[in-house]
Amino acid sequence: MANRVTNLSDLIHRVATSCLQQPLARGDDESPENNSSENQTEYEEIEKEDEDEDSQQENEEEDGFGGLGDKKKNKMGLEREREMEALMGEVFESVSAMKKAYVSLQEAHSPWDQEKMSVADVAVVAELRKLGTLRERFRRRSRGDGGGRGRGGFAPLREVVAPYEAAMEELKREVKVKEMEVENLKEKLRSAMSTSTTGKKGKFLSKRRVSCSLGHGPHVAVAPAPELYEATMAQVKETSKTFTSLLLSLMRSARWDIPAAVRSIEAATTTTSTSDNMTSIIGPQHAKYALESYICQKIFHGFDHETFYIDGSLSSLLNPDQFRRDCFAQFRDMRAMEPAELLGILPTCHFGKFCSKKFLAIVHPKMEESLFGNLEHHDMVLAGNHPRSQFYGEFLRLAMAVWLLHLLAFALDPAPCHFQASKGAVFHTEYMESVVRFSGGRVPVGQIVGFPVSPGFKLGNGSVIKARVYLVSRT
């Protein structure tokens, strides 16, 4: 305002000076129009000078507030920098947490633990979601509030789904690799089985009859047959002998009193008063038969039930045809797998529960502590896992053979009739065979069953798989 007053004074001073220096024109020398035009021009020049001064004054005022604007910008920059540092800290924490969750997910695969795997999977997905959220926050900070976002302020669906699609592709690749490994192992097993069956040709008559059924590759059994059942029972006998020999050698290494152990095993199944006489006849070289009898009684207990009484399933009664097809399909699938590898993937399947139940029934805690000096096997089995030791591996081979025989029994129509010789029964060559070889190859007269070793079966085609027994003299 002071500037405007000064300018008005100057204007009056200039007009007065002009009037004094230039007197009014006379007559026609100067017309009113000329005077007015000159005055108008002078007024315009003065107004222009005023406008220039006003604009200069406004620029000076803006320069005066410029310092405050810079301070505000610097403050906003510091706040943004702190926010980005906090954001990166959260990113690193989320990545570390996801790494730990993924390690837990890998550990849950071997041995297979469904509960741990579910927990770890949820944790991995949660951290992936958190990383996706942090990524969106970083993009919003980089672009500015609301910049480059979809309608309604939400991130594009493709960006949200991208982490899940990447994880899904990775899992698909892992599944393909595992499938290739399984196929390679199946091929190796087929080659090994075909070699072993041709190498042992002629050892068992039943094996010769089912050579096509046992062979893998082009000669795969397409339907359950009595001959296949006989061959599977022969495998049960071989694995039971192997496991019994291993257990007996461990007992001897632990300095067990073998005759006392045999007496306790035999007494556990005794129902007559002649047990002491019979037991005294069992020589040290025949202790393995008493031990094998004990093992077979434990592992074949519940054979007549469709799940060995692991649960109360009645599928064989509700839908027998479908149950028979399912049993044979499972039989064909499991024959091509090693039991340890199967339980490494599915430790709590029905077969896994069967192995745990039978191992705890056969190997008492005191027995294991005496043999190995600890209870590591029992602790792992009770926890739902399966040890990787040689001893447990031999047990798994026996358990797998019995489980396959059980599946095949429920796949046959009619089902085989399961029988077992009782102690003190008269020896019948049609249904029994002696585990001890007598001179001349013939059983002497007056022999009775001292104790049963393994059960027998009568098949639907009329053939009989003889029960193995240990014979003693009646006198």
Side-chain angles (χ1 to χ4, degrees):
M1 179 60 74
N3 289 335
R4 291 183 179 274
V5 173
T6 304
N7 292 337
L8 185 58
S9 301
D10 291 340
L11 177 61
I12 297 172
H13 177 72
R14 290 179 185 179
V15 172
T17 304
S18 177
C19 291
L20 292 174
Q21 290 179 354
Q22 296 180 2
L24 294 174
R26 295 174 299 168
D28 297 332
D29 291 342
E30 290 183 1
S31 62
E33 290 82 359
N34 292 336
N35 290 333
S36 63
S37 62
E38 290 178 359
N39 292 334
Q40 182 68 28
T41 302
E42 188 173 359
Y43 280 120
E44 290 177 354
E45 292 177 355
I46 294 172
E47 289 293 332
K48 186 175 182 181
E49 291 177 359
D50 293 340
E51 291 177 359
D52 293 340
E53 291 177 356
D54 292 340
S55 63
Q56 183 178 2
Q57 182 180 3
E58 291 175 357
N59 291 334
E60 290 177 354
E61 291 176 355
E62 291 179 358
D63 293 340
F65 289 103
L68 296 176
D70 293 339
K71 292 181 180 179
K72 186 176 182 180
K73 289 180 180 179
N74 292 335
K75 185 177 180 181
M76 292 177 62
L78 291 174
E79 291 179 356
R80 187 173 181 181
E81 183 177 353
R82 284 195 294 269
E83 289 179 0
M84 294 300 289
E85 289 178 355
L87 179 63
M88 293 307 297
E90 292 182 20
V91 170
F92 284 118
E93 289 178 1
S94 181
V95 170
S96 178
M98 187 183 70
K99 184 179 178 181
K100 292 179 181 178
Y102 187 72
V103 170
S104 300
L105 184 64
Q106 289 179 322
E107 291 176 349
H109 279 77
S110 181
W112 184 275
D113 192 324
Q114 184 65 38
E115 184 177 355
K116 290 183 179 178
M117 184 170 295
S118 300
V119 174
D121 180 64
V122 171
V124 170
V125 173
E127 295 303 328
L128 286 174
R129 288 178 176 173
K130 186 175 180 180
L131 282 175
T133 304
L134 293 175
R135 184 183 64 174
E136 291 305 315
R137 285 175 55 187
F138 176 77
R139 288 182 175 178
R140 287 198 298 269
R141 298 298 182 190
S142 300
R143 295 191 298 251
D145 293 339
R149 302 186 68 182
R151 190 190 320 176
F154 293 101
L157 180 61
R158 182 181 299 275
E159 296 180 0
V160 176
V161 176
Y164 302 101
E165 292 180 344
M168 182 65 70
E169 292 298 326
E170 183 66 24
L171 290 175
K172 287 181 179 179
R173 284 193 292 268
E174 292 181 2
V175 168
K176 289 182 179 179
V177 172
K178 294 296 182 182
E179 288 177 350
M180 292 177 63
E181 291 179 0
V182 170
E183 291 300 325
N184 291 335
L185 291 173
K186 286 183 178 180
E187 190 63 32
K188 290 180 181 179
L189 183 61
R190 290 175 189 140
S191 301
M193 290 296 293
S194 61
T195 303
S196 62
T197 51
T198 54
K200 295 181 180 179
K201 186 176 181 181
K203 185 173 181 180
F204 297 102
L205 180 61
S206 60
K207 284 189 177 182
R208 289 203 303 269
R209 288 204 302 264
V210 294
S211 59
C212 291
S213 299
L214 281 176
H216 294 270
H219 303 291
V220 178
V222 295
E227 294 80 9
L228 186 61
Y229 193 85
E230 293 179 24
T232 307
M233 184 61 192
Q235 185 181 3
V236 172
K237 293 178 182 178
E238 292 298 320
T239 53
S240 66
K241 291 178 181 178
T242 303
F243 180 68
T244 301
S245 299
L246 177 60
L247 183 57
L248 187 61
S249 66
L250 290 173
M251 289 179 174
R252 286 171 176 161
S253 298
R255 301 183 182 276
W256 274 42
D257 186 349
I258 302 300
V262 170
R263 285 193 296 270
S264 64
I265 292 172
E266 197 272 341
T269 58
T270 296
T271 56
T272 65
S273 60
T274 59
S275 60
D276 293 336
N277 294 332
M278 293 180 181
T279 307
S280 62
I281 300 175
I282 300 175
Q285 69 276 18
H286 295 162
K288 60 182 179 180
Y289 300 124
L291 186 57
E292 185 178 356
S293 172
Y294 164 76
I295 293 171
C296 287
Q297 286 181 12
K298 294 293 184 180
I299 203 164
F300 273 98
H301 178 71
F303 189 88
D304 292 334
H305 190 265
E306 61 185 66
T307 62
F308 282 93
Y309 296 104
I310 295 174
D311 56 32
S313 176
L314 297 175
S315 301
S316 60
L317 300 177
L318 299 177
N319 194 353
D321 294 335
Q322 182 62 41
F323 185 74
R324 280 192 289 268
R325 288 192 294 269
D326 293 342
C327 285
F328 189 65
Q330 188 178 355
F331 170 83
R332 294 182 62 183
D333 293 339
M334 292 185 66
R335 287 175 68 203
M337 300 185 69
E338 282 289 331
E341 293 183 1
L342 173 62
L343 295 179
I345 301 172
L346 299 171
T348 57
C349 63
H350 273 82
F351 175 62
K353 294 178 181 178
F354 167 77
C355 292
S356 300
K357 179 180 179 180
K358 295 303 180 180
F359 181 83
L360 296 176
I362 293 173
V363 184
H364 192 272
K366 291 184 178 179
M367 178 189 293
E368 181 184 354
E369 189 173 9
S370 174
L371 297 177
F372 302 104
N374 54 53
L375 295 175
E376 182 178 354
H377 288 80
H378 271 73
D379 292 341
M380 292 188 67
V381 172
L382 288 173
N385 300 319
H386 299 275
R388 294 279 183 170
S389 64
Q390 178 189 1
F391 178 71
Y392 196 79
E394 290 296 336
F395 166 76
L396 286 182
R397 292 184 181 90
L398 170 60
M400 172 71 93
V402 174
W403 185 261
L404 291 175
L405 186 74
H406 178 260
L407 289 174
L408 197 54
F410 279 86
L412 287 169
D413 187 21
C417 180
H418 171 227
F419 66 89
Q420 180 170 294
S422 59
K423 185 169 186 167
V426 178
F427 177 73
H428 291 279
T429 57
E430 184 180 358
Y431 296 99
M432 306 176 193
E433 65 175 348
S434 174
V435 294
V436 179
R437 301 301 176 188
F438 293 94
S439 58
R442 299 185 63 180
V443 177
V445 179
Q447 297 289 316
I448 61 174
V449 177
F451 55 83
V453 178
S454 63
F457 297 91
K458 186 173 183 180
L459 306 180
N461 62 352
S463 60
V464 175
I465 299 176
K466 296 181 180 181
R468 298 168 62 232
V469 296
Y470 183 85
L471 298 177
V472 295
S473 175
R474 187 188 298 272
T475 59

